[in-house]
Amino acid sequence: MRPLLAALVLLAGSTLGAQPSFDLSVRNIMRGPELYGREPSQVRFTADGQWIYFNWLQAGAQWSAETKPFRVAARAGALPEQVSDAHLDSIAPMLATGLRSRDGRSEVVTANGDLFLRVRRPALTLRRLTQANGNEADPKFSLDEREIFFVRDNNIYALDIAGGLTRQLTDIRSGAAPKEPDAPKGQRAALAAQQRLLLEVIRDEIAADSLQAAQRRAVEARRLPVVWIPQAERIGTVSVSPDGKSALISTTTAAVGQRASDVPDYVNPDGYARMIPGRTKVGDAQGTQKVGHLDIASGKITWLKLTLDDKAAGGARLGDWSDDGKYALLFVTSADFKDRYLWSVASATGTMMMIDALRDEAWVNGPCFGCIGWTPQGKAWFVSEESGYSHLYAANADGSAKQTLTSGNWEVLQVERASDNLHFAMVTSEPSPFTRQAYRMAMTGGVRTRLTVGDGGHAPITSPVDPSVIATVYSTANRPPELYLARAGQAAMAQLTVSTTPEFRSYAWKVPPIVMLDGEDGTKVPARVYDPKAFGKATNGAAVIFVHGAGYLHNVHNWWSTYSREYMFHHLLAERGYTVIDIDYRGSAGYGRDWRTAIYRWMGGKDLDDQVSGSKYLTKTYGIDPERIGIYGGSYGGFMTLMALFTKPEYFGAGAGLRSVTDWAGYNHGYTGGILNLPQDDTTSYRKSSPIFFAEGLQDPLLIAHGMVDTNVQFQDVVQLAQRLIELEKTGWEMAVYPVENHGFVRPSSWSDEYRRILELFDRTIGPNGSKVKR
């Protein structure tokens, strides 16, 4: 383990000698993480709180380099050091998280597939409990805390903590129970009866067989009862109750007649094309999921009814068991995406009780969707969009005494039960939609204590020893994420990593101001603005609108953007006199349920209206001719670009659609089925939401760019659109293909080629010397 000595200089923020001016070119900025660094990830404390481990790379590492394990002492001024994989394996039991005993003295964890017991008092000690080829999972203390229950190969075991004896509690097998041969019938039954009547040897043989069968049944009665799961069903999760009396089992059955859309890969070492197994398309046959309650003593399994009104279940997730072992949580969504159910399942009987149900006539989702758990007092807590914003609630196991624990026009983004069993550890947007902050709140609700500072975005991890000590990955709009050590309520944070290169830091990266556009329906729409004047440049009379991808994604905020290359590209555009705006259009994350679902049954409706509002804002505020406003984006942003040019050409002069969805009937089930329903049931939604149906409206220059091995938005989408444009005899469009790139490009040369083409498109059309300039 060798400290990164250079980090001392970097952390001090000093450089030696004069720095050359930053090369704000497409080729340079499309190096991406080689320039701005890698975000520290998988951050975790050791169990004693002394060290912080994370995955990372030193500044300037090659684009293709894989992140490495590092550690840094949990104190201000400490320097990170790389550790070996062997060291990481050895320390794994100290990094794993697990369940604590009720007195807080012990924790049982899994590391590298084995069980370990950590005892915290009087001193922290570690004891290995298992060492086997199989993987142990889901360990928990029994109610008397003398045993540890765990799952291995889909079966439940109990390990005696004092003596070390391991007992198998279930015998769950895949297949069908063996059957006794059927008794003969008709002529064969008569012949067998005659043989028994005539021959003593036959009677003796039958008596011996009966005795052996009785002995076999006696032996089997002393063994564990065998639980047979049909061969066609794949066991997903087995979760045992802390009382050791029951378990929940989830299974999935593959869809019948489902067809995958494989993706051809043309560039391979052997010179032959190969097919990459692909996903299915929306509306195709889907698999089914079941959850059963298993009585461990008898081996009897009862399959549970997961939804109301005989609706099909789309997904089911087993949650935690209550501390007293009486109830488990079961989180279920309906196959039509419109209902969410939270059930409690009684360990003793398998009885289900509804804790909470939520129906959304669009589709259920939201931040922290599926965040559930128990308080030590036996109340279920869960996050719901019931109020229109994602908030925290609690209720008894039967759904009674429901409490609203948080409220307001902000959202709970993350929540978990804190290690002190008294508080919730939360990340919320309470100060504003543009920041992410850590809070602590009593499990009974009430006042929340803010733990983090700054106006950017935090991804906090609390020390297991001192809840006031926080390791957080923090960033601002113009500073990429770094690992910091913070103390709750204190303004200063100690920076522990420097991921950016001196070259990156030599440029004055801007914090783009956030403005509120006037939406077409009167709603205020957030946007970030890159104004050439802020860069000391004169406007060139043109503007660009960037459309973020994913639809449900947050990009107008005060922390480092997921679209980091685009952020730098917007600086390049502004330096060249282009005004750039970046809109959190309807459907984006961060603004509540109504904003999220505003695109229901019409993608390219209100979300496109918000791009039109951006165009009008640029015209009104900066006097820019709509014909000199370009638009571009990738994935959902590429789809939006196509819809803008095909259906609202009067507000835009050129566009670049990158990895664009052109026909939603070809996209995946989980994403599209919620927003547009199914194509066989709602043809109207798919038709008015798919750009390929509006291609005849293309009037302005269009660049289409797509990776040929895209397994998300498949290359087939733009191939079909290209054929449609050819048949319509459209001109002024071009296509760039990238033979080795998937949905998210990785090679800097591909990024550079793509954004060179975007820049050239805007320069030759809407730019100061472009074809769109009125002369």
Side-chain angles (χ1 to χ4, degrees), residues 129-300:
L129 299 177
T130 63
Q131 188 170 9
N133 289 333
N135 289 330
E136 285 81 39
D138 193 31
K140 54 177 66 78
F141 291 99
S142 62
L143 288 182
D144 61 12
E145 298 192 339
R146 294 179 180 178
E147 291 185 303
I148 292 171
F149 298 127
F150 64 94
V151 176
R152 178 196 293 156
D153 296 329
N154 293 326
N155 273 296
I156 300 166
Y157 294 79
L159 185 149
D160 182 84
I161 296 174
L165 175 67
T166 298
R167 299 180 296 120
Q168 186 169 342
L169 302 184
T170 62
D171 187 359
I172 302 172
R173 305 182 190 180
S174 180
K179 293 182 178 180
E180 294 290 337
D182 293 335
K185 297 179 181 179
Q187 173 265 340
R188 289 176 177 79
L191 182 59
Q194 179 176 295
Q195 292 295 96
R196 291 194 300 273
L197 177 65
L198 292 173
L199 302 174
E200 182 179 2
V201 66
I202 298 298
R203 294 192 294 273
D204 290 345
E205 185 178 324
I206 292 172
D209 288 345
S210 297
L211 179 60
Q212 290 176 3
Q215 291 172 341
R216 186 169 60 249
R217 286 192 295 270
V219 171
E220 290 174 351
R222 294 191 295 270
R223 292 176 178 170
L224 294 173
V226 179
V227 180
W228 291 99
I229 303 297
Q231 190 76 43
E233 298 180 22
R234 184 176 61 84
I235 298 174
T237 304
V238 178
S239 179
V240 58
S241 167
D243 63 13
K245 295 179 180 178
S246 70
L248 294 184
I249 302 176
S250 69
T251 71
T252 55
T253 302
V256 176
Q258 195 178 69
R259 182 177 179 182
S261 51
D262 296 340
V263 174
D265 180 8
Y266 293 100
V267 182
N268 289 288
D270 62 6
Y272 287 85
R274 66 185 179 99
M275 297 303 291
I276 300 173
R279 55 168 174 77
T280 59
K281 299 185 187 232
V282 58
D284 202 350
Q286 300 298 306
T288 57
Q289 189 168 4
K290 293 163 56 179
V291 176
H293 172 269
L294 172 65
D295 181 87
I296 291 177
S298 67
K300 179 184 178 183

Side-chain angles (χ1 to χ4, degrees), residues 627-628 653-654 701 760-767 770-773:
E627 277 297 296
R628 296 191 62 194
E760 290 175 354
L761 169 71
F762 290 147
D763 280 348
R764 72 172 180 264
T765 57
I766 65 173
S771 60
K772 294 285 185 173
V773 177

Side-chain angles (χ1 to χ4, degrees), residues 648-686:
K648 301 286 185 179
E650 65 270 30
Y651 296 104
F652 308 97
L658 322 175
R659 43 200 170 275
S660 313
V661 176
T662 68
D663 183 355
W664 286 107
Y667 199 53
N668 70 43
H669 185 83
Y671 182 91
T672 322
I675 303 173
L676 298 181
N677 303 315
L678 303 185
Q680 59 267 40
D681 301 331
D682 196 346
T683 56
T684 300
S685 293
Y686 281 82

Side-chain angles (χ1 to χ4, degrees), residues 512-535:
I514 297 173
V515 300
M516 304 303 288
L517 310 179
D518 293 321
E520 300 299 281
D521 58 357
T523 303
K524 295 295 184 181
V525 180
R528 299 200 295 187
V529 180
Y530 300 78
D531 189 333
K533 294 177 183 177
F535 294 76

Side-chain angles (χ1 to χ4, degrees), residues 605-627:
K606 288 187 177 180
D607 47 359
L608 179 56
D609 284 346
D610 292 339
Q611 313 306 323
V612 170
S613 297
S615 176
K616 290 180 177 179
Y617 168 84
L618 290 166
T619 300
K620 179 180 178 180
T621 306
Y622 296 94
I624 298 172
D625 182 350
E627 277 297 296

Side-chain angles (χ1 to χ4, degrees), residues 545 547 585 599 601-612 630-664 676 684-704 717-718 721 725:
I545 297 175
V547 189
Y585 51 86
I599 59 173
R601 298 194 68 224
W602 192 9
M603 291 190 275
K606 288 187 177 180
D607 47 359
L608 179 56
D609 284 346
D610 292 339
Q611 313 306 323
V612 170
I631 184 169
Y632 88 102
S635 194
Y636 198 98
F639 147 75
M640 190 71 64
T641 296
L642 298 179
M643 289 295 277
L645 295 189
F646 293 174
T647 68
K648 301 286 185 179
E650 65 270 30
Y651 296 104
F652 308 97
L658 322 175
R659 43 200 170 275
S660 313
V661 176
T662 68
D663 183 355
W664 286 107
L676 298 181
T684 300
S685 293
Y686 281 82
R687 188 177 183 93
K688 70 180 182 181
S689 299
S690 297
I692 198 166
F693 288 102
F694 304 97
E696 68 276 4
L698 180 63
Q699 301 175 12
D700 297 304
L702 167 65
L703 167 65
I704 300 170
D717 262 51
V718 293
L721 177 62
L725 293 173

